[in-house]
């Protein structure tokens, strides 16, 4: 029932900025216990980038050296990831996920296509 659609990825030069969006449908937005962003570069493990828990608490991965910011807009049912001062190592496919109660929606091979971010000059 839950559907997640990521967008906003693309080509960006080092030092530039991007804002990724994740539109959530199928559930009442305010009922999600957490929302997060993940990324996976070729040959690497998927890693958590940022998450917002309980609508207020935010956490960020140590690997995010530039000031990335996660935010939400309940009216638009959208989760954002603001990526500032991006670096080539930020190149990856980015995914969003939501937690319904205690269970995250995306599991196993059901991570979809995500949105590609490529940092290159």
């Amino acid at each position: 029932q839950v559907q997640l659609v990521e967008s906003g990825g693309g080509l960006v030069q080092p030092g530039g900025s991007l804002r990724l969006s994740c539109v959530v449908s199928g559930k009442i937005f305010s009922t999600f216990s957490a929302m997060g962003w993940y990324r996976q570069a070729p040959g690497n493990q998927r890693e958590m980038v940022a998450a917002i828990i309980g609508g207020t608490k935010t956490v960020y991965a140590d690997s995010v050296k530039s000031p990335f910011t996660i935010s939400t807009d309940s009216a638009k049912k959208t989760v954002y990831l603001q990526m500032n001062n991006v670096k080539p190592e930020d190149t990856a496919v980015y995914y969003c996920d939501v937690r319904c109660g205690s269970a995250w929606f995306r599991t196993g091979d059901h991570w979809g296509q995500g949105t590609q971010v490529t940092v290159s000059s």
Side-chain angles (χ1 to χ4, degrees):
Q1 187 174 2
V2 173
Q3 296 184 57
L4 307 173
V5 181
E6 300 98 338
S7 65
L11 295 171
V12 60
Q13 295 184 348
S17 299
L18 283 176
R19 189 180 73 167
L20 306 184
S21 299
C22 173
V23 178
V24 184
S25 62
K27 296 289 185 180
I28 299 175
F29 192 81
S30 61
T31 64
F32 296 116
S33 60
M35 290 158 280
W37 283 94
Y38 300 77
R39 68 184 181 187
Q40 185 170 22
N44 293 340
Q45 297 290 322
R46 185 184 303 109
E47 64 175 341
M48 189 276 292
V49 176
I52 181 166
I53 303 171
T56 56
K57 181 181 179 181
T58 57
V59 293
Y60 298 91
D62 291 338
S63 61
V64 179
K65 298 180 180 180
S66 56
F68 289 8
T69 303
I70 186 172
S71 63
T72 63
D73 186 331
S74 60
K76 297 182 178 180
K77 298 182 178 180
T78 302
V79 186
Y80 301 100
L81 181 67
Q82 180 66 46
M83 305 168 61
N84 294 328
N85 192 28
V86 296
K87 303 174 181 178
E89 52 263 41
D90 293 321
T91 296
V93 178
Y94 285 72
Y95 306 87
C96 67
D97 199 5
V98 295
R99 191 173 71 188
C100 306
S102 61
W104 289 94
F105 176 71
R106 297 195 187 278
T107 59
D109 297 327
H110 303 283
W111 281 85
Q113 300 300 310
T115 185
Q116 176 73 50
V117 173
T118 302
V119 182
S120 176
S121 60

